[in-house]
Amino acid sequence: MSQLPTKAQILDWISENPTLTAKRDIAKAFDIKGADRIDLKRILKELEAEGHLEKRKKTYRDPDRLPPVSVLQVRAPSRDGDLYAQPLEWHGAGVEPVVLVITRASDPALGEGDRILARLTAVHGDGHNYEARVIRRIGSSPRKVVGIFRKDSESGRILPIDKGAATEWTVAPDATGGAKEGELVEAEQAGPKGRLGLPRARITARIGDPTEPKAVSLIAIHQHGIPDDFPEEVLAEADRMKPAGLSGREDLRDLPLVTIDPEDARDHDDAVFAEPDTDPKNEGGHVIWVAIADVAHYVTPGSELDREARRRGNSSYFPDRVVPMLPDRLSGDLCSLHEGVPRACIAARIVIDASGEKKSARFVRGLMRSPASLTYQQAQAAKDGNPDEKTAPFVETVIEPLYAAYAALKSARERRQPLDLDLPERRIRLGEDGVVESVNFTERLDAHRLIEEFMILANVATAEKLIEKKTPLLFRVHEEPPQDKLESLRDTADAAGLTLAKGQVLETAHLNRLLHEAAGRDESELINLATLRAMTQAYYSPKNFGHFGLALRNYAHFTSPIRRYADLVVHRALVTAHGWGEDGLSEQEIEKLDATATHISETERRSMTAERDTTDRYLASYLSERIGAEFTGRISGVAKFGVFVKLDETGADGLVPIRNLGNEFFHFDRDAGTLMGANTGTIVMPGMRATVKLVEAAPVTGGIGLELLTLEEADIDRGPRRTQRRGKPGQHVPKGKGPKGKAPERRKLVRTKRKDAKTATKRKRSART
């Protein structure tokens, strides 16, 4: 008979061998056989009863330790950008252990609320107890639910505000958080979701009255988890900052660097100046200065400000507010190039030739003082011969040289052929009460294009300088469109009677040729939108894959460090490359450039989604008082459940549900992206002109519902809804069936993928008419 181990020996074994904790493994380790297994089972049960062990299926483990393979729920990224997770299998009596998730390039992108199966390794120190390696993602919990609280007699419900969310959530009486009837709330899932009944939620925050104008942007901020309050330590650090002096800087205060911004701009992070090059070897050339606020001087690596800026990734802009990346002490004061105030900057002095090609560039860390803060409208009016009191002194010395340099850059742009999309920018104007007063499209002036070209030139010069100095940086990457999206664009072009060349290496010049052919035609907006949809999403990366849309090989973001963390990283790279100080890129930052690039690319997409959702809600609010009105527009998308129409007046996108399309059955052709009426044979496809009636506008969700009235000259069936029948006259056909009980044969548009491309195009054009 083998000697039984003591309880202490068993606990030590389990602690040292967390993967071998089944009763069979323990028996084998201590050479326990036969009837002695009964005694081992008794000892294990005693340890379990005493709280030293916890039985998990057929294994035993220390309840104060996590199993080596555990289920975790991912938390929001920390201010350092690190990803931590909550252990869902922690049952210990002590403090819940801290688990750091170590991600690899092959791991799926993880977000707050995701549940993962991970392999854990116990560690000591470094602020966490375990490190986790992802095995697989096993589910995703709603990170948060934002909706309207409805109080029932005993409990409550939450009606989500998402357009596509149809499921309500139940709230227990003890989980309402004091919310009132009709209040906008934020909640999280309470317990696992059952198979039957509504999911349960626990209210975590009361946002306020959903009918108040300010709630529109607050909904998006909470819904998408955008941090909108600065921690006290971050504000305190910002408040301690003092203006930078001239020490260690080049004096640029006599250089007339002017800022040119929108009328409502609160911060000014870039200033420009240009003059003719006096070098006789560069006759007709120009010297261009682009000065950018030196944010790196104030936001140093590892500081409270830096961690918070990285967590936010970028500023988010809404019609009624800005959620800034940096506190106002920096974004609106010390880092803003205000008129007449000395400000620290990093400036690029770039020399171009008469044709707009860059000849040389050097960077300086300087101190500047802008003589004037101008608006786009002021600068343009001065160039057009209508200066005001502010711009008149600068017409000859500043404004005309700026436009002369822009003319050279414009000629270089035309040779380079970047993607030339013509998509007007929509502008929502709010009254003092926060209610939408008007929705207009911003006029695009040469002043806008001038600043755009100067910023692109500075970004290119920055990337090339850092490559030259072999300094790590974050590139702005835009890869070429995938083949499937190009095929879809070709189909759209074919349907409009246009052609996108095939069988050659795609260049932006090919797309521009298509866009220019569509210019001035009814299909112009459709072709521009289809081209935009064919593009991939731009992102940040420490690896350089070029920028397809701008037709540039080397490109980085340098010009907006107040509102983009990527630009701040590039500024630090310049500091390191030139040896300007100790506030450049640290070794720790260089090691995690990949993680930083991924994180800020995700925060950028988060802000874009939140801004788009907010615009949708403001548009729905603006249109809500015009229910029953008729609008003209163009079909912008087709789906199985209906068609989307972009309204001419506001640019808003509304849905015509399939039930409001006409009184007949419609077949959906996924490949061609069309709907076909079963009775009339009407083809509904993107680009068609339409007249619609507004039947619904929901400000809380941003949903706009429409009814189709006319579709170009197509035949819309207005009679009683009929079910399609196919068969001989007098023959009874079961509902929804054709001859011999078969489903109705679907008539499809022939696509260009077929061999005879000419026939395909001809049939498509015929189908439209």
Side-chain angles (χ1 to χ4, degrees), residues 133-166:
R133 295 282 185 177
V134 179
I135 297 175
R136 66 177 181 274
R137 183 167 54 187
I138 58 176
S140 178
S141 298
R143 177 169 47 88
K144 58 184 63 175
V145 182
V146 179
I148 308 298
F149 178 67
R150 297 298 183 195
K151 191 167 182 60
D152 295 334
S153 56
E154 297 182 357
S155 58
R157 293 173 297 124
I158 296 176
L159 281 63
I161 58 173
D162 289 326
K163 292 180 188 177

PDB file of all heavy atoms in Angstrom, residues 133-166:
ATOM      1  N   ARG A 133      -2.475  34.638 -23.619  1.00  0.00           N
ATOM      2  CA  ARG A 133      -2.314  34.480 -25.064  1.00  0.00           C
ATOM      3  C   ARG A 133      -3.631  33.959 -25.628  1.00  0.00           C
ATOM      4  O   ARG A 133      -4.170  32.966 -25.144  1.00  0.00           O
ATOM      5  CB  ARG A 133      -1.188  33.497 -25.386  1.00  0.00           C
ATOM      6  CG  ARG A 133       0.193  33.979 -24.954  1.00  0.00           C
ATOM      7  CD  ARG A 133       0.754  34.991 -25.927  1.00  0.00           C
ATOM      8  NE  ARG A 133       2.117  35.372 -25.588  1.00  0.00           N
ATOM      9  CZ  ARG A 133       2.852  36.195 -26.308  1.00  0.00           C
ATOM     10  NH1 ARG A 133       2.352  36.721 -27.419  1.00  0.00           N
ATOM     11  NH2 ARG A 133       4.079  36.503 -25.942  1.00  0.00           N
ATOM     12  N   VAL A 134      -4.136  34.630 -26.661  1.00  0.00           N
ATOM     13  CA  VAL A 134      -5.443  34.286 -27.215  1.00  0.00           C
ATOM     14  C   VAL A 134      -5.386  32.920 -27.914  1.00  0.00           C
ATOM     15  O   VAL A 134      -4.514  32.681 -28.758  1.00  0.00           O
ATOM     16  CB  VAL A 134      -5.919  35.361 -28.205  1.00  0.00           C
ATOM     17  CG1 VAL A 134      -7.278  34.988 -28.797  1.00  0.00           C
ATOM     18  CG2 VAL A 134      -5.988  36.720 -27.523  1.00  0.00           C
ATOM     19  N   ILE A 135      -6.318  32.054 -27.538  1.00  0.00           N
ATOM     20  CA  ILE A 135      -6.499  30.789 -28.261  1.00  0.00           C
ATOM     21  C   ILE A 135      -7.541  31.009 -29.354  1.00  0.00           C
ATOM     22  O   ILE A 135      -7.311  30.701 -30.515  1.00  0.00           O
ATOM     23  CB  ILE A 135      -6.929  29.663 -27.307  1.00  0.00           C
ATOM     24  CG1 ILE A 135      -5.824  29.396 -26.266  1.00  0.00           C
ATOM     25  CG2 ILE A 135      -7.248  28.393 -28.086  1.00  0.00           C
ATOM     26  CD1 ILE A 135      -6.207  28.396 -25.210  1.00  0.00           C
ATOM     27  N   ARG A 136      -8.670  31.572 -28.959  1.00  0.00           N
ATOM     28  CA  ARG A 136      -9.680  31.942 -29.958  1.00  0.00           C
ATOM     29  C   ARG A 136     -10.699  32.872 -29.305  1.00  0.00           C
ATOM     30  O   ARG A 136     -10.854  32.891 -28.082  1.00  0.00           O
ATOM     31  CB  ARG A 136     -10.383  30.710 -30.538  1.00  0.00           C
ATOM     32  CG  ARG A 136     -11.243  29.936 -29.549  1.00  0.00           C
ATOM     33  CD  ARG A 136     -11.956  28.788 -30.242  1.00  0.00           C
ATOM     34  NE  ARG A 136     -12.812  28.029 -29.354  1.00  0.00           N
ATOM     35  CZ  ARG A 136     -12.428  27.035 -28.594  1.00  0.00           C
ATOM     36  NH1 ARG A 136     -11.161  26.650 -28.626  1.00  0.00           N
ATOM     37  NH2 ARG A 136     -13.278  26.410 -27.802  1.00  0.00           N
ATOM     38  N   ARG A 137     -11.377  33.642 -30.137  1.00  0.00           N
ATOM     39  CA  ARG A 137     -12.478  34.469 -29.657  1.00  0.00           C
ATOM     40  C   ARG A 137     -13.729  33.622 -29.666  1.00  0.00           C
ATOM     41  O   ARG A 137     -14.054  32.983 -30.675  1.00  0.00           O
ATOM     42  CB  ARG A 137     -12.659  35.698 -30.551  1.00  0.00           C
ATOM     43  CG  ARG A 137     -13.755  36.636 -30.063  1.00  0.00           C
ATOM     44  CD  ARG A 137     -13.718  37.975 -30.743  1.00  0.00           C
ATOM     45  NE  ARG A 137     -13.754  37.854 -32.189  1.00  0.00           N
ATOM     46  CZ  ARG A 137     -13.606  38.872 -33.019  1.00  0.00           C
ATOM     47  NH1 ARG A 137     -13.364  40.074 -32.537  1.00  0.00           N
ATOM     48  NH2 ARG A 137     -13.661  38.698 -34.311  1.00  0.00           N
ATOM     49  N   ILE A 138     -14.453  33.599 -28.558  1.00  0.00           N
ATOM     50  CA  ILE A 138     -15.603  32.705 -28.450  1.00  0.00           C
ATOM     51  C   ILE A 138     -16.932  33.447 -28.377  1.00  0.00           C
ATOM     52  O   ILE A 138     -17.985  32.826 -28.311  1.00  0.00           O
ATOM     53  CB  ILE A 138     -15.472  31.785 -27.218  1.00  0.00           C
ATOM     54  CG1 ILE A 138     -15.344  32.625 -25.934  1.00  0.00           C
ATOM     55  CG2 ILE A 138     -14.279  30.857 -27.359  1.00  0.00           C
ATOM     56  CD1 ILE A 138     -15.297  31.792 -24.677  1.00  0.00           C
ATOM     57  N   GLY A 139     -16.901  34.743 -28.402  1.00  0.00           N
ATOM     58  CA  GLY A 139     -18.162  35.474 -28.390  1.00  0.00           C
ATOM     59  C   GLY A 139     -17.925  36.944 -28.143  1.00  0.00           C
ATOM     60  O   GLY A 139     -16.816  37.384 -27.847  1.00  0.00           O
ATOM     61  N   SER A 140     -18.984  37.685 -28.283  1.00  0.00           N
ATOM     62  CA  SER A 140     -18.884  39.130 -28.098  1.00  0.00           C
ATOM     63  C   SER A 140     -20.090  39.605 -27.306  1.00  0.00           C
ATOM     64  O   SER A 140     -21.230  39.384 -27.717  1.00  0.00           O
ATOM     65  CB  SER A 140     -18.832  39.846 -29.446  1.00  0.00           C
ATOM     66  OG  SER A 140     -18.779  41.233 -29.261  1.00  0.00           O
ATOM     67  N   SER A 141     -19.842  40.201 -26.174  1.00  0.00           N
ATOM     68  CA  SER A 141     -20.915  40.774 -25.373  1.00  0.00           C
ATOM     69  C   SER A 141     -21.151  42.206 -25.810  1.00  0.00           C
ATOM     70  O   SER A 141     -20.206  42.880 -26.217  1.00  0.00           O
ATOM     71  CB  SER A 141     -20.548  40.764 -23.889  1.00  0.00           C
ATOM     72  OG  SER A 141     -20.364  39.455 -23.426  1.00  0.00           O
ATOM     73  N   PRO A 142     -22.392  42.674 -25.729  1.00  0.00           N
ATOM     74  CA  PRO A 142     -22.607  44.085 -26.034  1.00  0.00           C
ATOM     75  C   PRO A 142     -21.763  44.934 -25.087  1.00  0.00           C
ATOM     76  O   PRO A 142     -21.885  44.813 -23.869  1.00  0.00           O
ATOM     77  CB  PRO A 142     -24.103  44.284 -25.774  1.00  0.00           C
ATOM     78  CG  PRO A 142     -24.693  42.915 -25.844  1.00  0.00           C
ATOM     79  CD  PRO A 142     -23.631  41.983 -25.389  1.00  0.00           C
ATOM     80  N   ARG A 143     -20.898  45.705 -25.639  1.00  0.00           N
ATOM     81  CA  ARG A 143     -20.045  46.558 -24.807  1.00  0.00           C
ATOM     82  C   ARG A 143     -20.901  47.464 -23.945  1.00  0.00           C
ATOM     83  O   ARG A 143     -20.626  47.668 -22.784  1.00  0.00           O
ATOM     84  CB  ARG A 143     -19.129  47.372 -25.711  1.00  0.00           C
ATOM     85  CG  ARG A 143     -18.247  48.360 -24.996  1.00  0.00           C
ATOM     86  CD  ARG A 143     -17.206  48.913 -25.929  1.00  0.00           C
ATOM     87  NE  ARG A 143     -17.790  49.332 -27.189  1.00  0.00           N
ATOM     88  CZ  ARG A 143     -18.285  50.543 -27.388  1.00  0.00           C
ATOM     89  NH1 ARG A 143     -18.280  51.425 -26.437  1.00  0.00           N
ATOM     90  NH2 ARG A 143     -18.781  50.852 -28.570  1.00  0.00           N
ATOM     91  N   LYS A 144     -21.929  47.987 -24.558  1.00  0.00           N
ATOM     92  CA  LYS A 144     -22.887  48.793 -23.832  1.00  0.00           C
ATOM     93  C   LYS A 144     -24.150  48.912 -24.665  1.00  0.00           C
ATOM     94  O   LYS A 144     -24.137  48.722 -25.886  1.00  0.00           O
ATOM     95  CB  LYS A 144     -22.328  50.170 -23.503  1.00  0.00           C
ATOM     96  CG  LYS A 144     -21.902  50.968 -24.696  1.00  0.00           C
ATOM     97  CD  LYS A 144     -21.260  52.275 -24.285  1.00  0.00           C
ATOM     98  CE  LYS A 144     -19.994  52.068 -23.499  1.00  0.00           C
ATOM     99  NZ  LYS A 144     -19.288  53.330 -23.196  1.00  0.00           N
ATOM    100  N   VAL A 145     -25.228  49.184 -24.004  1.00  0.00           N
ATOM    101  CA  VAL A 145     -26.511  49.394 -24.672  1.00  0.00           C
ATOM    102  C   VAL A 145     -26.941  50.817 -24.359  1.00  0.00           C
ATOM    103  O   VAL A 145     -26.972  51.212 -23.194  1.00  0.00           O
ATOM    104  CB  VAL A 145     -27.583  48.405 -24.164  1.00  0.00           C
ATOM    105  CG1 VAL A 145     -28.888  48.626 -24.917  1.00  0.00           C
ATOM    106  CG2 VAL A 145     -27.111  46.980 -24.309  1.00  0.00           C
ATOM    107  N   VAL A 146     -27.237  51.593 -25.379  1.00  0.00           N
ATOM    108  CA  VAL A 146     -27.745  52.947 -25.197  1.00  0.00           C
ATOM    109  C   VAL A 146     -29.171  52.970 -25.730  1.00  0.00           C
ATOM    110  O   VAL A 146     -29.419  52.570 -26.870  1.00  0.00           O
ATOM    111  CB  VAL A 146     -26.875  53.987 -25.928  1.00  0.00           C
ATOM    112  CG1 VAL A 146     -27.442  55.391 -25.745  1.00  0.00           C
ATOM    113  CG2 VAL A 146     -25.442  53.937 -25.411  1.00  0.00           C
ATOM    114  N   GLY A 147     -30.109  53.422 -24.896  1.00  0.00           N
ATOM    115  CA  GLY A 147     -31.500  53.401 -25.334  1.00  0.00           C
ATOM    116  C   GLY A 147     -32.401  54.203 -24.413  1.00  0.00           C
ATOM    117  O   GLY A 147     -31.960  54.886 -23.484  1.00  0.00           O
ATOM    118  N   ILE A 148     -33.701  54.114 -24.685  1.00  0.00           N
ATOM    119  CA  ILE A 148     -34.725  54.825 -23.920  1.00  0.00           C
ATOM    120  C   ILE A 148     -35.266  53.882 -22.848  1.00  0.00           C
ATOM    121  O   ILE A 148     -35.630  52.736 -23.134  1.00  0.00           O
ATOM    122  CB  ILE A 148     -35.869  55.293 -24.829  1.00  0.00           C
ATOM    123  CG1 ILE A 148     -35.318  56.085 -26.027  1.00  0.00           C
ATOM    124  CG2 ILE A 148     -36.864  56.132 -24.044  1.00  0.00           C
ATOM    125  CD1 ILE A 148     -34.592  57.339 -25.641  1.00  0.00           C
ATOM    126  N   PHE A 149     -35.325  54.361 -21.607  1.00  0.00           N
ATOM    127  CA  PHE A 149     -35.821  53.547 -20.494  1.00  0.00           C
ATOM    128  C   PHE A 149     -37.327  53.698 -20.381  1.00  0.00           C
ATOM    129  O   PHE A 149     -37.859  54.805 -20.330  1.00  0.00           O
ATOM    130  CB  PHE A 149     -35.149  53.982 -19.189  1.00  0.00           C
ATOM    131  CG  PHE A 149     -35.642  53.211 -17.986  1.00  0.00           C
ATOM    132  CD1 PHE A 149     -35.379  51.860 -17.849  1.00  0.00           C
ATOM    133  CD2 PHE A 149     -36.379  53.852 -16.999  1.00  0.00           C
ATOM    134  CE1 PHE A 149     -35.831  51.154 -16.752  1.00  0.00           C
ATOM    135  CE2 PHE A 149     -36.831  53.157 -15.888  1.00  0.00           C
ATOM    136  CZ  PHE A 149     -36.564  51.801 -15.775  1.00  0.00           C
ATOM    137  N   ARG A 150     -38.010  52.556 -20.362  1.00  0.00           N
ATOM    138  CA  ARG A 150     -39.458  52.519 -20.158  1.00  0.00           C
ATOM    139  C   ARG A 150     -39.736  51.750 -18.879  1.00  0.00           C
ATOM    140  O   ARG A 150     -39.317  50.605 -18.740  1.00  0.00           O
ATOM    141  CB  ARG A 150     -40.170  51.846 -21.337  1.00  0.00           C
ATOM    142  CG  ARG A 150     -40.008  52.566 -22.658  1.00  0.00           C
ATOM    143  CD  ARG A 150     -40.609  53.951 -22.620  1.00  0.00           C
ATOM    144  NE  ARG A 150     -40.510  54.631 -23.908  1.00  0.00           N
ATOM    145  CZ  ARG A 150     -40.693  55.931 -24.065  1.00  0.00           C
ATOM    146  NH1 ARG A 150     -40.967  56.684 -23.022  1.00  0.00           N
ATOM    147  NH2 ARG A 150     -40.585  56.478 -25.255  1.00  0.00           N
ATOM    148  N   LYS A 151     -40.449  52.379 -17.952  1.00  0.00           N
ATOM    149  CA  LYS A 151     -40.682  51.765 -16.657  1.00  0.00           C
ATOM    150  C   LYS A 151     -41.982  50.980 -16.668  1.00  0.00           C
ATOM    151  O   LYS A 151     -43.041  51.497 -17.033  1.00  0.00           O
ATOM    152  CB  LYS A 151     -40.715  52.836 -15.572  1.00  0.00           C
ATOM    153  CG  LYS A 151     -40.690  52.268 -14.164  1.00  0.00           C
ATOM    154  CD  LYS A 151     -40.402  53.359 -13.156  1.00  0.00           C
ATOM    155  CE  LYS A 151     -40.329  52.798 -11.752  1.00  0.00           C
ATOM    156  NZ  LYS A 151     -39.266  51.775 -11.613  1.00  0.00           N
ATOM    157  N   ASP A 152     -41.904  49.692 -16.290  1.00  0.00           N
ATOM    158  CA  ASP A 152     -43.080  48.851 -16.132  1.00  0.00           C
ATOM    159  C   ASP A 152     -43.485  48.859 -14.663  1.00  0.00           C
ATOM    160  O   ASP A 152     -42.847  49.492 -13.815  1.00  0.00           O
ATOM    161  CB  ASP A 152     -42.783  47.425 -16.605  1.00  0.00           C
ATOM    162  CG  ASP A 152     -42.487  47.381 -18.099  1.00  0.00           C
ATOM    163  OD1 ASP A 152     -42.968  48.284 -18.806  1.00  0.00           O
ATOM    164  OD2 ASP A 152     -41.758  46.476 -18.535  1.00  0.00           O
ATOM    165  N   SER A 153     -44.534  48.108 -14.360  1.00  0.00           N
ATOM    166  CA  SER A 153     -45.027  48.093 -12.985  1.00  0.00           C
ATOM    167  C   SER A 153     -44.002  47.548 -12.006  1.00  0.00           C
ATOM    168  O   SER A 153     -43.806  48.078 -10.917  1.00  0.00           O
ATOM    169  CB  SER A 153     -46.317  47.260 -12.904  1.00  0.00           C
ATOM    170  OG  SER A 153     -46.074  45.950 -13.415  1.00  0.00           O
ATOM    171  N   GLU A 154     -43.311  46.469 -12.386  1.00  0.00           N
ATOM    172  CA  GLU A 154     -42.373  45.841 -11.462  1.00  0.00           C
ATOM    173  C   GLU A 154     -40.917  45.998 -11.889  1.00  0.00           C
ATOM    174  O   GLU A 154     -40.020  45.908 -11.067  1.00  0.00           O
ATOM    175  CB  GLU A 154     -42.695  44.351 -11.317  1.00  0.00           C
ATOM    176  CG  GLU A 154     -44.079  44.093 -10.720  1.00  0.00           C
ATOM    177  CD  GLU A 154     -44.345  42.611 -10.559  1.00  0.00           C
ATOM    178  OE1 GLU A 154     -43.473  41.816 -10.970  1.00  0.00           O
ATOM    179  OE2 GLU A 154     -45.410  42.260 -10.035  1.00  0.00           O
ATOM    180  N   SER A 155     -40.673  46.187 -13.160  1.00  0.00           N
ATOM    181  CA  SER A 155     -39.291  46.291 -13.630  1.00  0.00           C
ATOM    182  C   SER A 155     -39.216  47.391 -14.690  1.00  0.00           C
ATOM    183  O   SER A 155     -39.912  48.387 -14.596  1.00  0.00           O
ATOM    184  CB  SER A 155     -38.819  44.948 -14.191  1.00  0.00           C
ATOM    185  OG  SER A 155     -39.657  44.535 -15.252  1.00  0.00           O
ATOM    186  N   GLY A 156     -38.390  47.207 -15.699  1.00  0.00           N
ATOM    187  CA  GLY A 156     -38.275  48.205 -16.753  1.00  0.00           C
ATOM    188  C   GLY A 156     -37.751  47.587 -18.027  1.00  0.00           C
ATOM    189  O   GLY A 156     -37.359  46.415 -18.072  1.00  0.00           O
ATOM    190  N   ARG A 157     -37.751  48.376 -19.090  1.00  0.00           N
ATOM    191  CA  ARG A 157     -37.249  47.932 -20.385  1.00  0.00           C
ATOM    192  C   ARG A 157     -36.382  49.030 -20.981  1.00  0.00           C
ATOM    193  O   ARG A 157     -36.538  50.200 -20.660  1.00  0.00           O
ATOM    194  CB  ARG A 157     -38.405  47.632 -21.349  1.00  0.00           C
ATOM    195  CG  ARG A 157     -39.257  46.451 -20.976  1.00  0.00           C
ATOM    196  CD  ARG A 157     -40.474  46.359 -21.897  1.00  0.00           C
ATOM    197  NE  ARG A 157     -41.353  47.510 -21.765  1.00  0.00           N
ATOM    198  CZ  ARG A 157     -41.720  48.296 -22.767  1.00  0.00           C
ATOM    199  NH1 ARG A 157     -41.251  48.090 -23.997  1.00  0.00           N
ATOM    200  NH2 ARG A 157     -42.536  49.318 -22.567  1.00  0.00           N
ATOM    201  N   ILE A 158     -35.470  48.623 -21.852  1.00  0.00           N
ATOM    202  CA  ILE A 158     -34.653  49.574 -22.604  1.00  0.00           C
ATOM    203  C   ILE A 158     -34.910  49.354 -24.079  1.00  0.00           C
ATOM    204  O   ILE A 158     -34.775  48.229 -24.581  1.00  0.00           O
ATOM    205  CB  ILE A 158     -33.148  49.401 -22.294  1.00  0.00           C
ATOM    206  CG1 ILE A 158     -32.868  49.713 -20.827  1.00  0.00           C
ATOM    207  CG2 ILE A 158     -32.311  50.305 -23.193  1.00  0.00           C
ATOM    208  CD1 ILE A 158     -31.437  49.487 -20.421  1.00  0.00           C
ATOM    209  N   LEU A 159     -35.290  50.413 -24.774  1.00  0.00           N
ATOM    210  CA  LEU A 159     -35.491  50.363 -26.218  1.00  0.00           C
ATOM    211  C   LEU A 159     -34.229  50.906 -26.880  1.00  0.00           C
ATOM    212  O   LEU A 159     -33.954  52.110 -26.796  1.00  0.00           O
ATOM    213  CB  LEU A 159     -36.697  51.209 -26.638  1.00  0.00           C
ATOM    214  CG  LEU A 159     -38.086  50.623 -26.443  1.00  0.00           C
ATOM    215  CD1 LEU A 159     -38.377  50.369 -24.965  1.00  0.00           C
ATOM    216  CD2 LEU A 159     -39.155  51.554 -27.015  1.00  0.00           C
ATOM    217  N   PRO A 160     -33.426  50.049 -27.515  1.00  0.00           N
ATOM    218  CA  PRO A 160     -32.153  50.511 -28.103  1.00  0.00           C
ATOM    219  C   PRO A 160     -32.385  51.578 -29.162  1.00  0.00           C
ATOM    220  O   PRO A 160     -33.417  51.599 -29.842  1.00  0.00           O
ATOM    221  CB  PRO A 160     -31.559  49.240 -28.714  1.00  0.00           C
ATOM    222  CG  PRO A 160     -32.233  48.116 -27.995  1.00  0.00           C
ATOM    223  CD  PRO A 160     -33.616  48.608 -27.690  1.00  0.00           C
ATOM    224  N   ILE A 161     -31.389  52.452 -29.306  1.00  0.00           N
ATOM    225  CA  ILE A 161     -31.508  53.537 -30.278  1.00  0.00           C
ATOM    226  C   ILE A 161     -30.852  53.198 -31.606  1.00  0.00           C
ATOM    227  O   ILE A 161     -30.935  53.968 -32.550  1.00  0.00           O
ATOM    228  CB  ILE A 161     -30.863  54.829 -29.728  1.00  0.00           C
ATOM    229  CG1 ILE A 161     -29.395  54.578 -29.385  1.00  0.00           C
ATOM    230  CG2 ILE A 161     -31.620  55.346 -28.532  1.00  0.00           C
ATOM    231  CD1 ILE A 161     -28.641  55.805 -29.010  1.00  0.00           C
ATOM    232  N   ASP A 162     -30.169  52.049 -31.701  1.00  0.00           N
ATOM    233  CA  ASP A 162     -29.554  51.651 -32.966  1.00  0.00           C
ATOM    234  C   ASP A 162     -30.623  51.402 -34.011  1.00  0.00           C
ATOM    235  O   ASP A 162     -31.668  50.802 -33.717  1.00  0.00           O
ATOM    236  CB  ASP A 162     -28.717  50.380 -32.797  1.00  0.00           C
ATOM    237  CG  ASP A 162     -27.449  50.645 -32.007  1.00  0.00           C
ATOM    238  OD1 ASP A 162     -26.915  51.754 -32.155  1.00  0.00           O
ATOM    239  OD2 ASP A 162     -27.015  49.766 -31.269  1.00  0.00           O
ATOM    240  N   LYS A 163     -30.345  51.828 -35.251  1.00  0.00           N
ATOM    241  CA  LYS A 163     -31.313  51.640 -36.326  1.00  0.00           C
ATOM    242  C   LYS A 163     -31.695  50.177 -36.501  1.00  0.00           C
ATOM    243  O   LYS A 163     -32.844  49.830 -36.682  1.00  0.00           O
ATOM    244  CB  LYS A 163     -30.749  52.164 -37.647  1.00  0.00           C
ATOM    245  CG  LYS A 163     -30.575  53.660 -37.718  1.00  0.00           C
ATOM    246  CD  LYS A 163     -30.016  54.043 -39.079  1.00  0.00           C
ATOM    247  CE  LYS A 163     -29.646  55.498 -39.149  1.00  0.00           C
ATOM    248  NZ  LYS A 163     -29.029  55.858 -40.432  1.00  0.00           N
ATOM    249  N   GLY A 164     -30.691  49.297 -36.485  1.00  0.00           N
ATOM    250  CA  GLY A 164     -30.945  47.890 -36.777  1.00  0.00           C
ATOM    251  C   GLY A 164     -31.293  47.053 -35.575  1.00  0.00           C
ATOM    252  O   GLY A 164     -31.473  45.844 -35.700  1.00  0.00           O
ATOM    253  N   ALA A 165     -31.384  47.638 -34.380  1.00  0.00           N
ATOM    254  CA  ALA A 165     -31.635  46.851 -33.169  1.00  0.00           C
ATOM    255  C   ALA A 165     -33.128  46.766 -32.915  1.00  0.00           C
ATOM    256  O   ALA A 165     -33.791  47.769 -32.680  1.00  0.00           O
ATOM    257  CB  ALA A 165     -30.931  47.486 -31.978  1.00  0.00           C
ATOM    258  N   ALA A 166     -33.658  45.546 -32.962  1.00  0.00           N
ATOM    259  CA  ALA A 166     -35.091  45.348 -32.731  1.00  0.00           C
ATOM    260  C   ALA A 166     -35.356  44.762 -31.358  1.00  0.00           C
ATOM    261  O   ALA A 166     -36.484  44.769 -30.881  1.00  0.00           O
ATOM    262  CB  ALA A 166     -35.671  44.428 -33.805  1.00  0.00           C
TER     263      ALA A 166
END
